[in-house]
């Protein structure tokens, strides 16, 4: 299992480097988008905790904070050398995924305008993506827009309803 996980890391690393190089060549940002960099306190009215749910992997687009930004290419594939501590943890997580344990911990993220940004669990997303996972479980907090237009009010009402039922539908 460990050897398979090491091979998987190297394949993911190559995919990450390919993504990185292609985006740099086009003058584009090769890293994950950072939600905190996109928002100011004036842009939001706080957060609304939603609870545990499953969301489509394709809707996970970035990271909540900049701390993990340069560890991953914009496709969540790793960019750090295979001798790094990061790679060791990624490989161990991958080995658990391949073993009888699997990946059991949910990922913490924020939803903003239909896209999801990971706060905790970047490596879990990365490992699962390398195996083509369609979805994963998240403990979700929703970042709320600060404006008062009708769409925003409807979004808030939907989230409050979802929270009361512990259900949330994600439309892709």
């Amino acid at each position: 299992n460990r050897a398979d996980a090491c091979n998987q890391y190297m394949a993911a690393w190559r995919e990450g480097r390919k993504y990185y190089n292609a985006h740099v060549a086009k003058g584009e940002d090769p890293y994950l988008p950072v939600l905190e960099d996109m928002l100011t306190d004036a842009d939001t009215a706080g957060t609304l905790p939603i609870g545990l749910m499953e969301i489509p992997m394709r809707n996970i687009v970035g990271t909540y904070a900049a701390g993990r930004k340069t560890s991953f290419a914009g496709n969540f594939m790793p960019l750090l050398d295979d001798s790094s501590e990061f790679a060791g943890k990624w490989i161990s997580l991958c080995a658990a995924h391949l073993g009888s344990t699997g990946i059991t911990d949910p990922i913490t993220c924020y939803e903003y305008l239909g896209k999801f940004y990971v706060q905790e669990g970047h490596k879990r997303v990365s490992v699962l993506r390398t195996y083509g996972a369609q979805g994963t479980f998240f403990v979700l907090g929703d970042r709320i827009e600060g404006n008062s237009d009708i769409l925003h009010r409807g979004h808030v009402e939907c989230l409050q309803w979802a929270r009361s039922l512990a259900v949330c539908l994600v439309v892709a």
Side-chain angles (χ1 to χ4, degrees):
N1 262 355
R2 183 96 179 149
D4 291 339
C6 287
N7 290 336
Q8 191 72 7
Y9 184 84
M10 291 311 298
W13 179 83
R14 284 189 297 276
E15 191 176 328
R17 294 303 300 175
K18 181 178 177 181
Y19 180 100
Y20 176 91
N21 291 334
H23 283 74
V24 167
K26 293 189 272 185
E28 298 172 355
D29 186 356
Y31 301 113
L32 296 171
V34 178
L35 182 60
E36 282 186 332
D37 291 349
M38 294 186 267
L39 302 174
T40 66
D41 289 338
D43 292 332
T44 62
T47 60
L48 178 66
I50 300 296
L52 186 64
M53 64 175 20
E54 186 174 9
I55 61 170
M57 192 66 76
R58 69 182 173 276
N59 291 13
I60 304 166
V61 299
T63 183
Y64 178 74
R68 292 281 185 205
K69 182 177 179 171
T70 59
S71 300
F72 297 94
N75 59 356
F76 270 96
M77 293 300 111
L79 291 173
L80 301 180
D81 185 79
D82 65 337
S83 63
S84 66
E85 179 182 352
F86 170 93
K89 290 179 180 180
W90 195 103
I91 290 166
S92 293
L93 184 62
C94 184
H97 176 64
L98 295 172
S100 60
T101 306
I103 295 177
T104 58
D105 293 334
I107 296 160
T108 304
C109 68
Y110 286 90
E111 183 269 341
Y112 183 70
L113 300 176
K115 302 293 182 188
F116 296 86
Y117 299 84
V118 178
Q119 181 178 30
E120 168 62 35
H122 298 82
K123 286 189 256 338
R124 283 171 263 172
V125 171
S126 181
V127 168
L128 290 171
R129 279 198 176 188
T130 67
Y131 287 98
Q134 298 300 306
T136 188
F137 284 97
F138 285 77
V139 176
L140 182 65
D142 195 80
R143 191 89 183 199
I144 305 298
E145 284 185 272
N147 63 37
S148 61
D149 66 13
I150 292 171
L151 179 62
H152 168 70
R153 286 195 306 270
H155 185 91
V156 171
E157 288 172 10
C158 177
L159 291 170
Q160 288 171 339
W161 173 80
R163 182 177 176 202
S164 72
L165 297 176
V167 171
C168 185
L169 301 176
V170 178
V171 179

